[in-house]
Amino acid sequence: MNAHYKENLERYADLIVQVGLNLQKDQELLISAPISAYEFVRQITAKAYEAGALHVMADFHDEELKKIRLEKSSEEGLKVFPHWKQKGYIEMAENNVALLNLIAPNPSLLKHADPGRVALLNKVAAEASKEFSAYIGGGKISWLIAAYPTEEWAQSVFPGFNREDAVEKLWDNIFYTTRTDREQTVELWEQHINNLNERASLLNQAKYNKLHYKGPGTDLTIGFHPQTKWISAQFTNDKGTPFVPNLPTEEVFTIPDKTSVNGVVSSTKPLNYGGTLIKDFSLTFKDGRVVDFSAKEGYETLKNLLAADEGASYLGEVALVPHDSPISNTNIIFNNTLFDENASCHIALGRALSVCVENGKEMSQDDLNAIGFNESMIHVDFMIGSKDLHIDGEKADGSIQPIFRNGDWV
């Protein structure tokens, strides 16, 4: 890799520490990362200490070990979860740890794995992580998901390239979509977040109680409770520190009233769920619940996803992303939800986010449930936007206003 790549990588590490995590002096940092990212983890660790971190910990993992476990373990063995790790994560969260999750997926890793065994393993992990997930979903601690390319992921995106060239091309696109290929990256991100916050503010002023989606294979209505709000991907943790949990991000989002979703919606990009691709799928909702579904590829995985728990067949997030945006304009399917969801309007099955509720952090679960808040151990985004998507907003008086036409803001 050349000097230009090193400059971009340096800016990417700075962006992660300064904007994504907004790491504070004497704060601890936990980095969850694949073993292939060890050199970049070292670079981020150095940046973190330079920013005043008290202690940096690395929790490395290997996807191939997960595959081996699925192939070789007994069914009882798949139910085992290291509770010492679960308790350790909660203890760190109680001490205001910042969490960086570097993701480097292999989209076809579990293509031939038994969907039932994969679902069992995912369910066990989700159940064990439920308490810690509340710190994430409620924005109680600073957390960030960012990407690191692997050969397997790169070649799934650019199958016509050899491994080295595919990785270099994927890095180039990560730098472009995170604005780290330009000078003054941090300043560019501050302006970008301000623009997203302005968009969210306009939606909140409009006070829509429903959105109507129309597009190829999609005719969907989503309702909202007045106490919910639109926000950008800039949260504020319990210590009052702002952070940006996704790099890149192009969305403004809120949560629906879980029982006020009706109609049919079709995916516009593949969903990589736990190492299996789900392609060309459609969901039919009645009073919020998925009552029918189809998929050309990954049907059993989708079936198991929807059956994960009671809340898995209801929605927990609604996000608006213009078709004319940096990620979408690459015309690349990244086979990675972090990127693909930020190229397209999307919705999420499962757990709702209390940060999208006025005073949500102070509300009891019963109070949240009363406004249609969805509880689940999963939260899975999937993409429904395209250049052909139209969205209208309906106000309490029944008046209709256009929000999206041909995939972009009106």
Side-chain angles (χ1 to χ4, degrees), residues 212-260:
H212 300 264
Y213 291 72
K214 279 286 187 72
T218 292
D219 188 352
L220 186 73
T221 302
I222 299 176
F224 306 97
H225 189 277
Q227 204 166 337
T228 60
K229 61 181 178 180
W230 292 89
I231 64 173
S232 76
Q234 184 185 51
F235 296 2
T236 301
N237 68 20
D238 280 0
K239 298 293 185 181
T241 304
F243 65 98
V244 179
N246 286 352
L247 293 177
T249 182
E250 301 290 336
E251 64 181 321
V252 293
F253 57 96
T254 190
I255 63 172
D257 177 344
K258 64 174 287 187
T259 60
S260 298

Side-chain angles (χ1 to χ4, degrees), residues 50-63:
E50 289 167 8
L54 180 67
H55 183 216
V56 181
M57 298 153 284
D59 181 8
F60 287 104
H61 53 81
D62 178 23
E63 279 192 313

Side-chain angles (χ1 to χ4, degrees), residues 141-158:
I141 62 172
S142 300
W143 57 276
L144 169 63
I145 301 174
Y148 181 87
T150 60
E151 292 180 347
E152 293 82 7
W153 176 26
Q155 287 206 298
S156 79
V157 180
F158 305 109

Side-chain angles (χ1 to χ4, degrees), residues 185-198:
T185 296
V186 171
E187 290 81 359
L188 285 171
W189 268 91
E190 289 172 351
Q191 182 59 51
H192 177 52
I193 292 298
N194 285 339
N195 291 340
L196 291 176
N197 286 337
E198 287 176 11

Side-chain angles (χ1 to χ4, degrees), residues 76-96:
E76 283 303 305
L78 295 179
K79 297 177 183 178
V80 174
F81 188 89
H83 292 287
W84 58 266
K85 185 174 182 178
Q86 169 196 9
K87 292 175 183 176
Y89 268 54
I90 293 168
E91 181 180 320
M92 286 186 283
E94 289 172 346
N95 291 322
N96 191 38

Side-chain angles (χ1 to χ4, degrees), residues 108-358:
S108 59
L109 177 76
L110 304 181
K111 184 176 182 179
H112 302 296
D114 181 338
R117 288 171 66 84
V118 174
L120 175 60
L121 192 62
N122 289 337
K123 184 175 183 178
V124 168
E127 286 177 342
S129 305
K130 187 175 182 180
E131 188 176 347
F132 180 75
S133 296
Y135 285 92
I136 301 298
K140 296 175 182 292
I141 62 172
S142 300
W143 57 276
L144 169 63
I145 301 174
Y148 181 87
T150 60
E151 292 180 347
E152 293 82 7
W153 176 26
Q155 287 206 298
S156 79
V157 180
F158 305 109
F161 291 75
N162 64 43
R163 292 192 170 206
E164 184 176 329
D165 290 343
V167 170
E168 184 173 350
K169 192 169 178 62
L170 185 51
W171 264 126
D172 287 343
N173 280 279
I174 289 175
F175 293 145
Y176 167 69
T177 56
T178 58
R179 298 169 171 80
T180 47
D181 61 346
R182 282 161 274 179
E183 299 286 347
Q184 299 179 314
T185 296
V186 171
E187 290 81 359
L188 285 171
W189 268 91
E190 289 172 351
Q191 182 59 51
H192 177 52
I193 292 298
N194 285 339
N195 291 340
L196 291 176
N197 286 337
E198 287 176 11
R199 188 68 70 179
S201 178
L202 289 172
L203 288 167
N204 288 325
Q205 291 171 29
K207 299 185 184 303
Y208 298 117
N209 65 349
K210 288 182 183 178
L211 294 186
H212 300 264
Y213 291 72
K214 279 286 187 72
T218 292
D219 188 352
L220 186 73
T221 302
I222 299 176
F224 306 97
H225 189 277
Q227 204 166 337
T228 60
K229 61 181 178 180
W230 292 89
I231 64 173
S232 76
Q234 184 185 51
F235 296 2
T236 301
N237 68 20
D238 280 0
K239 298 293 185 181
T241 304
F243 65 98
V244 179
N246 286 352
L247 293 177
T249 182
E250 301 290 336
E251 64 181 321
V252 293
F253 57 96
T254 190
I255 63 172
D257 177 344
K258 64 174 287 187
T259 60
S260 298
V261 182
N262 289 282
V264 62
V265 64
S266 295
S267 67
T268 52
K269 293 178 184 288
L271 168 62
N272 177 19
Y273 182 64
T276 303
L277 285 178
I278 308 172
K279 294 183 177 180
D280 299 324
F281 60 96
S282 176
L283 304 175
T284 301
F285 291 85
K286 181 174 175 54
D287 298 329
R289 184 180 178 84
V290 176
V291 294
D292 195 17
F293 62 94
S294 64
K296 288 187 178 178
E297 185 177 324
Y299 177 86
E300 287 299 320
T301 299
L302 179 59
K303 179 180 178 181
N304 288 322
L305 166 60
L306 291 167
D309 61 17
E310 176 63 22
S313 58
Y314 291 84
L315 292 184
E317 181 188 338
V318 179
L320 301 180
V321 181
H323 183 69
D324 182 15
S325 60
I327 302 170
S328 178
N329 291 341
T330 65
N331 292 314
I332 294 170
I333 295 176
F334 284 88
N335 294 328
N336 181 328
T337 301
L338 174 63
F339 287 85
D340 290 333
E341 74 169 6
N342 282 296
S344 167
C345 286
H346 56 274
I347 52 182
L349 293 164
R351 183 177 61 253
L353 305 171
S354 59
V355 291
C356 295
V357 181
E358 291 291 350

